[in-house]
Structures are given as structure tokens and as C-alpha cells.
Amino acid sequence: MSHADARNKFLAVFEGIREELIAHMKSEKMPEDAIAWFNENLIYNVPGGKLNRGISVVDSVTILLNRLPTDDEYFKAALLGWCIELLQAFFLVSDDIMDRSISRRGQPCWYLVSDVKGLGKVHNIAVNDSCMLEGAIYHILKNHFRRESYYVDLLELFQEVTYKTEMGQLVDQITAPEDNINIDKYTLLKHTFVVRYKTAYYSFYLSVALAMRMCGVPDAYELNGKTVEPYKEADRILIPMGEFFQVQDDYLDYHGTEAQIGKIGTDIIDGKCSWCVCTALTHGTDTQKKFLFENYGKKGPEQTMREQAVKDMYNDEEGLNIPKRYEESSKNAVEEINAMIELLPEPGAQDELRGDRLRRDVFRVFLSKITDRTA
């Protein structure tokens, strides 16, 4: 199946989810304008991205089963995938409010949409809209998985990963508060910590862990005389993969165009604790660091000029040369992650038809989706 066909098949499941959620609103006797509002919230915020997180649940289930899933298995895997996309939408709508972002996925952020703004409560209603996207996750899980033996495992995964992400968002916000930027706090170690919690768990670990629970992968099993703890193995490989992904995101924010990345990069103007600035502070001269302190995250009439000056310093081939450092960092990250994957004990031929054993291809496929990405 081509990537486009796989995406369209996955999107078809969303339409059923949307109808189910709207039917539930109607059963609660919600007013027509509230139903229409929630419907627009779902359509605008959930299915518009690349859908890698959600489709990765389906891909991981297929690899674990070592065969094509049945229609029921596909549907359940896709439902879990869409629950991650709902979680993603919840985080993005909230994050855009906190960061006062302008665009997302090539369109205005939800809190800036004219109908939302027209209420005169721009931020307030969008906050509730984000919470409703999160609440929809648990409605879907209850409707479709309540009778499954792994139902509680699914609930715990979503709750734990959501909490970890919110902890990461907390550290991110207090490290780089919009009204008091202090890049003296920025280090590559702090960046890695924030990324691990804010991005890696929900964007990488969650997809695979959900697939493992659905396929009945236990907390531990014996393989070739050794005890394998598959969820710890998944954590060991996927969290560094998530860190690599965010480094890419940070680089594209400064180096990519809006057409490429679907948004206007604002990390420099917003003073974000980005991999780029952390790398510049780590390797820069005293003069370069002083320049960053004077220009990074400085808003006002000259912010565009300051932003371009920082980009020029990043691009200087005789100086910081952030593009070259990024290329080297990416190459090293891919090599290290591949080495981690090779350390995972692989099921032998006798376990070929077992779906409850973790396989290296789960991670290889995930890594292939993000290597050399430009958006």
C-alpha cells in the first residue's frame, strides 16, 4: 500500500470517530450551536497534520503481528492512532495560546480563527476547546476498549504520557517566560530534558507502547535464555529518537520556510530554548554570546531585523555554522539510534507468528519516517 493510500485509509476512520463524537453531543441534548462548534474544532485541529504519530500505531501493530491486521485489528489500531492525534491537537491548541503563535499547519492558529475571535474571548474559549479534544480521547477508549483486557493499560499510558508532557511544558515555560527571557539559563542539557518530557514520550514512545499493549506484549518475557523487558527497551530507543526529532524541528524553525514546515518559525523572536541557540551558546565566542544576549528574544519594532541578524550569525560558515553542526549532529544521532536498535534481542524463526514479541523493525520503520525530513 502506498503512503497516500495508507493515509487515506487512516483518514477514513477519523470520519467515523467525528460522527461518533457528534452523535454523543446530540445524545447529551447539547444546543445546535455548541455541536457545530465542536464539530468545527475537530475538523480544524485534528486531521490536518502529517499524522505520523497515529499511523505509526497501525504500522507498529502490523510489524508486531508479522502479518496484515484483520479489519477489526486495523480499526482498533487506527482508533488508538486517532486518540494520539486528538492528544496532539489538545497540546498544539494549548501551546499556540501560551506561545501566542500565528500559524499552525499552514493556517491561522485556532485561537485566532475569526469565529473564535469574534466572541471577544479569544483565549478563553480556545482553552476549553483544547480540553474537549483531550476529553474525546477517553470517550473513544471507553466506547471501544472497555471490554479489552488491556483497557486499564491504555488509560494509564495516556494519563502518564499526558502528565509527562505537561511537566515538560512547565519546564519549557519557566525556562523561557515570554516577558523575561534569560538565555543564560539555556544549555543543551536543559534542552534535552525539556524535549524528553515535552515531545519524546507522546510523539514516539506512546505510539509503540499502545501497539504493544494491543498486541499483548507483556512487561517481560524470556528470549534465548535472557529476560527482555520490552517497554524499557522501547523507552531506551524511542526517547533518543524523540530528542533527535525535536532537534530537527528546532533547526527547521530557523532554517525552513513556511511552505516547508506549515508555520512561521518564531523561536528566535520568542526567545525559545532551542537546540540552535543552545548550540550557539555552547560553541560560540564571548563576542557571539554577547550578540545573542543583546538580540535573541528581543521583541519590538526592530525584532525582524534582530531575528535576521541572529540567523546570519547561525549561517556564518566561518563562524558558528549551525547548518554544518546540525548535519553532523543528525548523522551521529541516526548512527547511535541504529546501534541501540541492534542491541534489542530479536525473536527467532520459532516466534515468527507471535505478535507478543518486540521486533527491531518497529523502530527501524519509525526512524525512517523522520530521517532527512524537511518539514
Side-chain angles (χ1 to χ4, degrees):
M1 184 183 294
S2 70
H3 175 74
D5 288 343
R7 179 184 170 87
N8 289 335
K9 184 177 181 180
F10 185 67
L11 278 167
V13 177
F14 173 73
E15 185 56 25
I17 290 172
R18 185 192 63 78
E19 291 175 356
E20 176 184 323
L21 292 170
I22 295 305
H24 176 253
M25 291 278 285
K26 291 178 179 178
S27 74
E28 293 287 332
K29 304 292 190 282
M30 293 292 289
E32 286 299 320
D33 54 352
I35 294 171
W37 188 280
F38 184 48
N39 187 54
E40 181 62 21
N41 180 9
L42 290 168
I43 293 170
Y44 195 91
N45 292 304
V46 182
K50 293 184 284 291
L51 308 180
N52 280 342
R53 294 166 181 83
I55 293 174
S56 289
V57 180
V58 177
D59 290 345
S60 297
V61 165
T62 303
I63 293 167
L64 290 169
L65 294 174
N66 207 22
R67 58 171 172 77
L68 289 176
T70 64
D71 289 345
D72 183 61
E73 288 167 340
Y74 178 88
F75 180 64
K76 283 184 170 148
L79 284 173
L80 293 175
W82 279 112
C83 283
I84 298 181
E85 294 298 332
L86 281 162
L87 185 66
Q88 160 87 336
F90 160 53
F91 288 146
L92 295 186
V93 171
S94 305
D95 194 59
D96 287 342
I97 296 169
M98 285 181 264
D99 290 347
R100 299 183 189 179
S101 297
I102 299 166
S103 63
R104 172 73 67 180
R105 295 171 173 171
Q107 60 187 7
C109 296
W110 174 248
Y111 79 94
L112 293 174
V113 173
S114 58
D115 285 347
V116 178
K117 196 169 185 177
L119 290 182
K121 301 177 181 178
V122 182
H123 298 349
N124 294 353
I125 192 165
V127 170
N128 189 68
D129 290 339
S130 72
C131 294
M132 289 192 70
L133 293 170
E134 184 196 22
I137 296 167
Y138 297 98
H139 177 81
I140 292 166
L141 291 177
K142 183 178 179 181
N143 263 15
H144 295 277
F145 295 93
R146 183 172 43 179
R147 292 178 177 81
E148 301 292 345
S149 59
Y150 53 88
Y151 176 55
V152 172
D153 294 313
L154 299 181
L155 294 177
E156 288 183 348
L157 270 171
F158 273 102
Q159 289 169 344
E160 288 169 6
V161 167
T162 299
Y163 196 33
K164 283 181 185 291
T165 306
E166 290 162 349
M167 287 191 282
Q169 178 74 348
L170 169 63
V171 177
D172 186 33
Q173 291 291 314
I174 64 176
T175 299
E178 187 178 344
D179 56 348
N180 187 25
I181 300 296
N182 178 12
I183 64 174
D184 198 34
K185 294 181 184 178
Y186 296 2
T187 65
L188 287 169
L189 191 63
K190 175 65 71 70
H191 178 266
T192 298
F193 180 88
V194 170
V195 168
R196 182 175 298 140
Y197 280 86
K198 185 179 174 180
T199 301
Y201 280 104
Y202 95 88
S203 294
F204 287 82
Y205 177 77
L206 184 57
S207 297
V208 174
L210 289 171
M212 289 164 67
R213 288 301 182 192
M214 181 182 152
C215 291
V217 176
D219 291 329
Y221 55 81
E222 295 295 318
L223 190 63
N224 301 325
K226 295 181 180 178
T227 300
V228 179
E229 295 179 285
Y231 295 90
K232 290 183 179 179
E233 292 289 333
D235 186 294
R236 177 179 65 82
I237 298 167
L238 291 166
I239 299 309
M241 204 182 294
E243 293 165 6
F244 168 50
F245 175 85
Q246 188 59 50
V247 168
Q248 291 176 313
D249 240 31
D250 290 353
Y251 178 75
L252 289 170
D253 186 274
Y254 116 78
H255 202 262
T257 64
E258 183 179 7
Q260 275 182 296
I261 64 177
K263 64 179 181 178
I264 299 170
T266 60
D267 283 359
I268 294 173
I269 291 175
D270 291 341
K272 284 293 184 180
C273 182
S274 155
W275 176 85
C276 301
V277 72
C278 290
T279 299
L281 290 168
T282 299
H283 298 286
T285 64
D286 289 342
T287 301
Q288 289 167 332
K289 291 176 186 177
K290 183 174 183 292
F291 180 85
L292 285 169
F293 274 94
E294 292 170 350
N295 292 278
Y296 194 83
K298 302 297 183 184
K299 294 189 176 180
E302 298 181 342
Q303 66 184 33
T304 302
M305 182 181 71
R306 292 177 185 273
E307 178 189 34
Q308 188 57 52
V310 171
K311 287 183 177 182
D312 290 343
M313 189 178 74
Y314 284 174
N315 290 334
D316 184 3
E317 292 183 3
E318 301 300 320
L320 283 171
N321 202 348
I322 294 296
K324 182 179 178 183
R325 292 183 188 277
Y326 169 74
E327 185 180 339
E328 292 171 352
S329 172
S330 297
K331 182 178 179 230
N332 291 337
V334 171
E335 288 176 356
E336 289 169 7
I337 292 166
N338 275 318
M340 292 178 191
I341 293 171
E342 291 305 311
L343 292 175
L344 175 69
E346 184 82 325
Q350 71 276 13
D351 295 316
E352 187 176 347
L353 298 179
R354 296 191 66 156
D356 59 352
R357 296 292 181 264
L358 191 54
R359 300 173 187 275
R360 292 174 190 166
D361 278 351
V362 169
F363 307 108
R364 289 174 180 146
V365 168
F366 219 143
L367 183 59
S368 70
K369 291 180 181 181
I370 64 169
T371 304
D372 300 324
R373 72 189 184 101
T374 58

